[in-house]
Amino acid sequence: MGVAIPHAKLQGYTGFFIAVGIQQGAGIEWNSLDSLPVRLIFMIGGPDDQQTEYLKILSQLTRAVKEEERRKKMLKAQSANEVIALFEGI
């Protein structure tokens, strides 16, 4: 689907964060399961001792990016606010 979701568990962090990268061009070579270039990257980081919360975040994010229309809108977004709006309420 052109999506990568790398993650890191970090000591000393008390909350989670997600950084989003969007490549509107041809994509980035990635060691992906389908060997296709990646255009959407969601980096999840957070505490190393909150596995259940991490899995909830990963599950919600995965469900959201499986929606083709949402991915298409992300690739056309012109601002961070447009991207954030696509994920509000999920």
Side-chain angles (χ1 to χ4, degrees), residues 21-69:
I22 300 172
Q23 173 62 35
Q24 293 178 328
I28 300 167
E29 283 192 44
W30 200 276
N31 189 18
S32 60
L33 295 174
D34 60 9
S35 299
L36 296 175
V38 168
R39 298 178 70 197
L40 300 171
I41 302 169
F42 300 87
M43 172 62 188
I44 302 173
D48 61 352
D49 61 350
Q50 294 185 31
Q51 182 70 11
T52 301
E53 186 63 26
Y54 163 74
L55 291 174
K56 287 179 186 177
I57 293 168
L58 180 60
S59 175
Q60 287 178 319
L61 178 60
T62 302
R63 261 195 318 275
V65 299
K66 282 185 177 181
E67 294 176 20
E68 183 177 6
E69 193 60 32

Side-chain angles (χ1 to χ4, degrees), residues 1-20:
M1 295 185 303
V3 175
I5 307 177
H7 55 275
K9 295 179 183 178
L10 308 163
Q11 288 183 340
Y13 274 73
T14 58
F16 287 88
F17 65 87
I18 299 177
V20 180

